[in-house]
Amino acid sequence: MRVALLSFHTSPLAALGGKDTGGMNVFVRETARELSRRGVAVDVFTRSTGAHALRIDPRLGAHARVIHVPAGPEAPQPKHVLHQYIGAFVDWIVRFARTESAHYNVIHAHYWLSGLAAEQLRAQWNTPFAITFHTLAELKNQIAEREQDRESELRLRSECHLCSVADRITANTSLEKTQLVRFYGAGSSRIRVVPPGVDLALFHPIEQSFAKRAIGIPVDHRLLLFAGRIERLKGIETLFRAVALLAQRRRDWDWSRINLAVIGGDPSMEGVRQNEEMARLQALREELGLHDVIAFLGAREQEALPFYYAAAEMLIMPSHYESFGMVALEAMACGTPVIASDVGGLSILVQHNKTGLRVRVNDPAELARAIEKLMDDEPRRRRLGQRAACYAQGFSWQQVVEKLLAVYAEIAR
């Protein structure tokens, strides 16, 4: 079998923590690696954003290649203009496949832009395609606080169209399957639930004091952790306000030894200029008097993340919307309890009082109470963390790819 993975707008090799790099990048990268390990030939096609990049990058595995497609300027572009380059993207791939005499049995598109490209490639090659949306415009628009946070009509129409023409749709959770049927009219018989996975060889429990020393914090300090993209729908403001409430209420805590680390984005002056939300959050930190408590660490390498998860008392995900919540799964695999908003995939992944705690979205007071509960109860933290690590064992990439291969076999027939 030969598979074409389409990740039009972002490369699986891109550094995580940027504005458009997150769980989807990990999903594409890890499925390509696991398919390669099984001897399945995989080409990942992504739009080139730099002329210096290798046109064909073989680093994902013996049978996997990331192919940087010149479509439009070979430089980062705003996401709202990318759709105009889909035709050039498809034309280049068709020429490439003809030159290499490559025949693909299945196309797997990730995100709606890739889905539009996959539809055109199916017409050229007569090759079926599956699509994973990763996030849904309708759900993001329902929680958008400002007009500029709303997704475009083009995206909404395209997602609805793709739900009617894709050979298969894979949903992250059973809840997302229900949402695809309800909001987009997708046929439930063509939807398969395939959750993202976690690299259990990388993300596993580490002794907490060892992890603290590895990341350079004193063993007697207590770490609260957020990890993810720096954008409004991640609900980071809610977390900051919850910590401010605790700082006022719990004066018995030694706040010189308690820190909230924010992993993601670029906290430098240049990063602040480019990311309005980073600037807003840094100003909010000062306004709340939390300069000595909250640290913006920026993006961290994937290999460093297990030490941060293991060093933390808890991971906190106050998101307004999450299709799944891969960061939560990574922390759980490391034996770290998670406090998460009761939304989207988090409402399924984080089992209340079993692997973590769920709280109402956008409620600093309830979030503060949840943090307080776990901070004050070490046996409970350990119990939740141990159960979380056990639960995460059911999400290995090997199990994910087994499900994907079954989907590919269905449509390849």
Side-chain angles (χ1 to χ4, degrees):
M1 176 177 280
R2 191 179 191 97
V3 178
L5 298 184
L6 305 188
S7 182
F8 175 82
H9 78 288
T10 183
S11 170
L13 302 176
L16 300 179
K19 190 175 188 310
D20 293 318
T21 53
M24 193 192 99
N25 301 70
V26 176
F27 192 110
V28 175
R29 185 188 68 211
E30 295 303 322
T31 53
R33 281 177 172 165
E34 180 59 27
L35 287 166
S36 175
R37 291 187 194 106
R38 294 167 182 243
V40 177
V42 184
D43 285 338
V44 183
F45 294 98
T46 187
R47 196 186 77 85
S48 175
T49 57
H52 61 279
L54 287 174
R55 186 65 70 211
I56 300 176
D57 193 319
R59 76 179 89 167
L60 287 186
H63 303 284
R65 305 182 295 180
V66 176
I67 300 169
H68 296 97
V69 177
E74 291 195 72
Q77 298 290 303
K79 198 187 289 187
H80 70 270
V81 306
L82 289 179
H83 66 277
Q84 65 187 293
Y85 306 127
I86 290 174
F89 183 79
V90 169
D91 290 344
W92 191 94
I93 293 173
V94 169
R95 291 194 301 272
F96 173 85
R98 188 181 303 126
T99 300
E100 295 229 333
S101 299
H103 170 73
Y104 297 95
N105 303 93
V106 173
I107 304 164
H108 188 172
H110 294 267
Y111 198 63
W112 68 280
L113 290 164
S114 299
L116 297 178
E119 184 183 14
Q120 293 184 34
L121 286 170
R122 180 178 63 182
Q124 294 266 6
W125 293 338
N126 196 29
T127 299
F129 81 91
I131 184 167
T132 306
F133 287 106
H134 295 281
T135 61
L136 297 173
E138 176 63 33
L139 275 295
K140 295 181 79 171
N141 284 351
Q142 287 181 13
I143 54 92
E145 298 176 349
R146 305 172 303 165
E147 186 60 32
Q148 60 262 44
D149 296 329
R150 292 181 60 82
E151 294 294 327
S152 68
E153 282 298 315
L154 173 63
R155 178 177 175 182
L156 278 166
R157 289 197 309 271
S158 297
E159 287 180 348
C160 189
H161 169 73
L162 289 165
C163 282
S164 69
V165 299
D167 295 284
R168 288 292 183 275
I169 304 165
T170 72
N172 286 335
T173 63
S174 57
L175 174 61
E176 187 181 7
K177 177 179 179 178
T178 300
Q179 291 164 342
L180 285 163
V181 174
R182 178 183 176 189
F183 295 115
Y184 291 94
S188 61
S189 64
R190 291 186 297 112
I191 304 173
R192 302 291 179 266
V193 175
V194 182
V198 62
D199 183 351
L200 295 172
L202 177 62
F203 296 100
H204 56 80
I206 303 170
E207 201 276 321
Q208 190 177 57
S209 61
F210 177 81
K212 288 179 178 179
R213 285 192 290 268
I215 63 174
I217 67 171
V219 173
D220 62 347
H221 278 222
R222 306 185 74 183
L223 182 67
L224 308 176
L225 185 64
F226 168 88
R229 293 190 302 278
I230 307 300
E231 55 186 12
R232 278 183 179 255
L233 64 78
K234 294 297 183 180
I236 306 169
E237 177 181 344
T238 304
L239 174 55
F240 283 15
R241 294 194 181 279
V243 172
L245 290 173
L246 289 170
Q248 293 173 359
R249 186 164 72 227
R250 296 303 302 265
R251 298 185 185 277
D252 57 314
W253 289 358
D254 184 353
W255 285 93
S256 67
R257 297 180 181 181
I258 298 174
N259 296 102
L260 168 62
V262 177
I263 292 179
D266 178 3
S268 70
M269 291 181 65
E270 179 62 27
V272 169
R273 280 195 294 270
Q274 294 180 3
N275 188 334
E276 174 191 347
E277 182 66 0
M278 178 67 81
R280 192 178 76 89
L281 290 172
Q282 290 194 4
L284 180 63
R285 175 181 65 172
E286 305 307 313
E287 176 190 323
L288 297 173
L290 297 174
H291 181 85
D292 295 332
V293 176
I294 299 174
F296 290 91
L297 303 185
R300 287 291 184 266
E301 292 293 331
Q302 189 84 340
E303 290 72 22
L305 289 179
F307 295 98
Y308 283 95
Y309 293 140
E313 306 293 308
M314 63 201 76
L315 175 82
I316 305 165
M317 291 190 71
S319 305
H320 297 170
Y321 166 62
E322 289 285 348
S323 176
F324 182 72
M326 196 176 289
V327 167
L329 181 58
E330 291 173 351
M332 290 164 62
C334 293
T336 302
V338 176
I339 298 177
S341 298
D342 193 2
V343 296
L346 293 173
S347 65
I348 295 173
L349 182 62
V350 180
Q351 299 175 306
H352 189 62
N353 277 326
K354 293 182 180 179
T355 63
L357 300 176
R358 295 200 305 268
V359 296
R360 284 191 299 271
V361 67
N362 201 21
D363 190 333
E366 184 172 344
L367 179 56
R369 288 192 293 271
I371 295 170
E372 191 173 22
K373 283 179 185 176
L374 291 193
M375 289 286 277
D376 284 343
D377 193 341
E378 182 179 356
R380 188 182 196 182
R381 283 200 317 276
R382 290 184 179 276
R383 186 167 62 251
L384 293 177
Q386 288 165 356
R387 290 175 181 168
C390 291
Y391 184 68
Q393 294 295 310
F395 291 85
S396 71
W397 285 111
Q398 290 85 352
Q399 292 164 294
V400 172
V401 167
E402 283 288 340
K403 293 185 172 94
L404 283 179
L405 284 171
V407 174
Y408 296 166
E410 279 186 45
I411 59 177
R413 280 197 294 268

